Amino acid sequence: MPAPHGPRRARIAFSDSAAKQLDAITSEAELHALDRALVVISVDPEAGELLPGDSTGPRLRQYVDDFERVRLLYWMTALQTVVVVAFIEV
């Protein structure tokens, strides 16, 4: 009998601007903090706070971890299988 699997994680993708921000991070501690935040939103894409806006575009969410000092702005695809990170602040 196969081993049970945990909940399926959403795939993380980065916008062009977030990818540039990611490339600029050189601190190992900041990369570790960012990795932890990305795991949180991949496991629970609704972990972040829904930001005010209209329904003409993707609904942005903000995930803030005050302990790790990380802030992510992101949106989910319609099926919540991909989380696109738009902005990274570490």
Side-chain angles (χ1 to χ4, degrees):
M1 185 160 130
H5 295 280
R8 186 170 183 180
R9 291 184 179 188
R11 202 177 72 196
I12 300 290
F14 296 95
S15 68
D16 290 342
S17 61
K20 288 178 185 175
Q21 292 171 310
L22 181 61
D23 289 341
I25 298 173
T26 58
S27 163
E28 190 70 30
E30 288 178 347
L31 285 173
H32 179 71
L34 176 60
D35 186 52
R36 290 174 56 96
L38 292 172
V39 167
V40 169
I41 64 171
S42 73
V43 171
D44 181 9
E46 294 183 355
E49 165 191 353
L50 191 59
L51 297 177
D54 57 30
S55 60
T56 60
R59 294 295 310 265
L60 283 176
R61 298 184 82 84
Q62 172 179 253
Y63 175 77
V64 178
D65 183 332
D66 291 326
F67 182 75
E68 294 282 0
R69 301 182 63 192
V70 175
R71 178 174 169 237
L72 301 173
L73 295 181
Y74 65 97
W75 71 87
M76 297 176 286
T77 59
L79 298 177
Q80 298 185 358
T81 57
V82 178
V83 173
V84 181
V85 176
F87 176 80
I88 300 169
E89 184 177 277
V90 181

